[in-house]
């Protein structure tokens, strides 16, 4: 009978480069603050990514709803 073995050790995979946010290119400070939530995402355990994306969503929604922004009402 053939003995079952576990999978072989996977070869080391290079991690993808995380894009660097160019804060100077973002003219709206509310949007810039919302996107800052992504800065630490690569070092965050996957089980916490949902929370980070929820914060990002809420921050961008607030930017859209705030007066004086392109998406908000003036």
């Amino acid at each position: 009978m053939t003995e079952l073995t576990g999978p072989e050790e996977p070869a080391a995979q290079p991690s993808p480069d995380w894009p660097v946010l160019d804060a100077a290119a973002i003219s709206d400070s509310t949007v810039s603050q919302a996107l800052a939530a992504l800065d630490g995402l690569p070092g965050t355990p996957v089980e916490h990514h949902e929370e980070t994306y929820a914060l990002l969503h809420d921050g961008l929604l607030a930017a859209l709803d705030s007066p004086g922004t392109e998406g908000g009402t003036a």
Side-chain angles (χ1 to χ4, degrees):
M1 187 163 166
T2 305
E3 184 177 327
L4 296 176
T5 59
E8 293 182 25
E9 288 293 319
Q13 297 292 319
S15 62
D17 291 333
W18 189 252
V20 177
L21 180 65
D22 182 9
I26 301 170
S27 61
D28 189 295
S29 63
T30 309
V31 171
S32 182
Q33 289 172 352
L35 292 174
L38 295 175
D39 289 343
L41 194 64
T44 304
V46 173
E47 59 266 14
H48 297 290
H49 284 194
E50 181 179 0
E51 179 183 341
T52 301
Y53 284 119
L55 289 171
L56 173 63
H57 174 269
D58 293 345
L60 291 174
L61 186 59
L64 284 172
D65 290 341
S66 67
T69 61
E70 290 182 30
T73 57

